Amino acid sequence: MPHHRHRRADSLARGMDSPTRFQLLFDARLNKGTAFTEAERDEHGLLGLLPDAVESEATQMARIRLQYAQQPSDLMRYQYLSALQDRNERLFYALLRSDIQTYMPIVYTPTVGEACQQFGHIMRRPKGMYISIRHRGRVREILRNWLVQDIRFIVVTDGERILGLGDQGTCGMGIPVGKLALYTACAGVPPQATLPVVLDVGTNNEAFLADPLYPGLRARRTTGDEYFAFVDEFVDAVQEVFPDCCIQFEDFTNAIAIPLLARHRDRVCCFNDDIQGTAAVALAGLFGACRMAGTRMHDQRILFMGAGSAAVGIAELFVTHLVREGMDLQEAHSRCWFVNSRGLVTAGMPGLPEYLAPFAHDASGLVFADRTPSSAQSPCTSLVHAVDAIRPTALIGVSTVAGAFDQAVVEAMTRANARPIIFPLSNPTSKSECTAEQAIRWSDGAAIFAAGSPFAPLHWKGRLHVPGQGNNVYIYPAIGMAVYATRAHRVTDAMFLRAAEALARQTTEHDLSVGLIYPPVSDILQTSIAVAIEVATLVHESGLARVPRPADIGAHLRSLIYDPSY
Ligand code: NAD
């Protein structure tokens, strides 16, 4: 059939009526490269534009793996995969799914951090949308420039707090791109439904401002009312242009993230993964730890090292869970203690933010060791003395202070508990409050351990310990798939709580027997789908869905999973 009589071939066209030869070869969503069949080549006028062999996706993948293995550094591997995504989207996702454990640290943390820092130098094709504050007043019009109309997920950042790397300005785009790739790879959200966005309000990164290759708005950050008005304009414009879209706020600085979420969470479909996703993954870890230790959630007392957005998010979700289980709210608050950079947070500590008030307890009943260092602001500035006085069952590190869980601290936790729960969640690895090996050695193998960063399995006194990784990737793609399948019009804390419970149930007895409180990352697609089905069920039960309840919620959700095969 001559190529000017293109028929709608579903495998090729994916919603387009008559893709041109140019589109078939250069639109990443349509391109199959050497996998175009003889008939397709004939039909669409591709004969002679490809080498003779008609290859399977498996053969193409073998070539990709060969080329990937030749890349000399993680950053080059990142660029290689990014170019593959630009060239052949299905092959990109098939590759990620084939070995997610290998590719996740490249397309996402930690390599994505370096990619953001180098973005101005390594960028090739732009991905997603860059909305500059210079164009305020025109955000609706700009969003309409995107080529796909049915956008369901936007991950948006203003680039101010990219991982632990600070202000990356417009180069922070790597984060929304990476997170959305994991929505698809880890939970099956179709990539055409996703849109990464940077709100470019300038940067205070001096090196970028001086770099002629910095591709963003060359100005200092706009702040205050003007900043919030711009973000509000964006949120409102999304409601109009993409009415079924969920907005994930990502890597905004703490001082903005908390008010931004509070401002929009009850008005539109949105969430903040740094706050809510972290909370859910930590709570799932606590559920797993309880199973491993044979204890109950309402027996737990948590000491948080760090009192920022991650810590408060975890504490609030833990409290929500305890209250649902029947505990009095005040009692539930009393189960959480915080240490910040000034010491143990107690009632009357000057200058405490409002969200810490319910967790600032009266310490007069605590007995601190002699010579406990105190200050005008806190009766205890020593973590080990705080552990000895409070006797927490769990110690959660979200402070970015590497080494804060030293031998004395781990030993104090072990004196107080048969199975001390020790979660150094700070990222990246260099910021971890302790290593897996330290926690296991200093507790003589008793610690129940999970960290924000990956640690290798180890043996202690003949027993294998596989350190769990408390990473949000167990939560947000699954929440995303549930929202996608139900067209939920809000994302609630109850959904994160359900996700945490569902995730914890995915951990098998075998996982627990080797010290793993989360299911292995290699099984993440299956894990995420199971979690998504439970969250989708809750969405329907709570009346938040915008689609009728299907007879079989699981089967319906599974039918929507993105399939990268040709
Ligand atoms: P944040 O800036 O909001 O909070 C950091 C907190 O640490 C602040 O309360 C600060 O007072 C406290 N702190 C700093 N120095 C301290 C010290 N010497 N002693 C005690 N407390 C100290 O940051 P955040 O968003 O809450 O993130 C904190 C860390 O948690 C980061 O390393 C981040 O990478 C990590 N994190 C991990 C995950 C995960 O999934 N594992 C998710 C979110 C955040």
Side-chain angles (χ1 to χ4, degrees), residues 161 254 278 305 307-310 340-341 398-400 425-427 452 470 472:
R161 198 235 65 189
N254 193 16
T278 306
M305 165 93 181
S309 43
N340 69 11
S341 47
V398 269
S399 65
T400 70
L425 296 185
S426 288
N427 285 327
N472 306 10

Side-chain angles (χ1 to χ4, degrees), residues 161 163-164 179 251-255 257-258 273-275 277-279 281-282 304-314 338-345 353 355-356 381 383 397-401 404 424-428 431-433 451-453 469-473:
R161 198 235 65 189
L163 304 170
K179 283 240 160 173
D251 282 2
F252 286 79
T253 195
N254 193 16
I258 294 174
D273 187 51
D274 303 311
I275 301 171
T278 306
V281 80
F304 291 92
M305 165 93 181
S309 43
V312 171
I314 299 168
F338 290 82
V339 170
N340 69 11
S341 47
R342 294 181 286 159
L344 185 65
V345 172
Y355 53 79
L356 275 183
T381 60
L383 181 61
V398 269
S399 65
T400 70
V401 182
L425 296 185
S426 288
N427 285 327
K431 306 276 186 197
S432 193
E433 284 82 1
S453 303
Q469 195 184 344
N471 193 302
N472 306 10
V473 73

Side-chain angles (χ1 to χ4, degrees), residues 224-499:
D225 290 348
E226 206 180 335
Y227 170 89
F228 278 105
F230 179 56
V231 180
D232 285 353
E233 182 190 343
F234 166 74
V235 172
D236 291 344
V238 170
Q239 308 315 304
E240 222 174 274
V241 180
F242 305 121
D244 285 347
C245 184
C246 174
I247 301 174
Q248 176 178 332
F249 296 112
E250 186 66 34
D251 282 2
F252 286 79
T253 195
N254 193 16
I256 287 172
I258 294 174
L260 200 59
L261 183 63
R263 197 175 172 108
H264 295 295
R265 62 182 301 162
D266 296 326
R267 307 179 38 231
V268 305
C269 185
C270 69
F271 68 99
N272 180 306
D273 187 51
D274 303 311
I275 301 171
Q276 296 163 288
T278 306
V281 80
L283 196 69
L286 289 171
F287 284 127
C290 285
R291 273 175 69 194
M292 197 179 279
T295 55
R296 297 167 305 178
M297 278 299 250
H298 62 258
D299 298 328
Q300 307 306 320
R301 199 166 37 254
I302 308 175
L303 179 58
F304 291 92
M305 165 93 181
S309 43
V312 171
I314 299 168
E316 284 181 348
L317 199 63
F318 175 64
V319 165
T320 303
H321 169 76
L322 293 180
V323 169
R324 287 196 174 198
E325 296 291 296
M327 191 181 280
D328 170 70
L329 178 65
Q330 207 179 345
E331 169 68 17
H333 279 133
S334 77
R335 300 304 183 85
C336 301
W337 288 82
F338 290 82
V339 170
N340 69 11
S341 47
R342 294 181 286 159
L344 185 65
V345 172
T346 52
M349 188 181 241
L352 276 186
E354 206 179 309
Y355 53 79
L356 275 183
F359 300 106
H361 309 304
D362 175 8
S364 57
L366 293 182
V367 181
F368 296 110
D370 289 348
R371 293 207 295 273
T372 292
S374 61
S375 72
Q377 302 191 341
S378 172
C380 173
T381 60
S382 148
L383 181 61
V384 66
H385 289 191
V387 169
D388 276 332
I390 294 166
R391 297 175 62 83
T393 57
L395 185 60
I396 298 184
V398 269
S399 65
T400 70
V401 182
F405 298 172
D406 60 18
Q407 184 164 357
V409 168
V410 174
E411 285 175 356
M413 284 297 292
T414 313
R415 275 196 299 278
N417 302 281
R419 300 295 312 269
I421 299 169
I422 298 181
F423 292 172
L425 296 185
S426 288
N427 285 327
T429 320
S430 59
K431 306 276 186 197
S432 193
E433 284 82 1
C434 67
T435 66
E437 198 262 333
Q438 289 169 335
I440 299 300
R441 179 154 46 92
W442 293 334
S443 67
D444 197 19
I448 298 176
F449 179 90
S453 303
F455 284 100
L458 60 133
H459 283 88
W460 176 256
K461 296 195 172 163
R463 252 193 76 207
L464 174 67
H465 294 263
V466 184
Q469 195 184 344
N471 193 302
N472 306 10
V473 73
Y474 281 113
I475 298 291
Y476 74 81
I479 293 271
M481 191 61 197
V483 170
Y484 178 75
T486 58
R487 294 186 189 241
H489 61 86
R490 288 289 178 281
V491 180
T492 62
D493 278 344
M495 288 156 68
F496 282 95
L497 197 52
R498 181 65 67 90

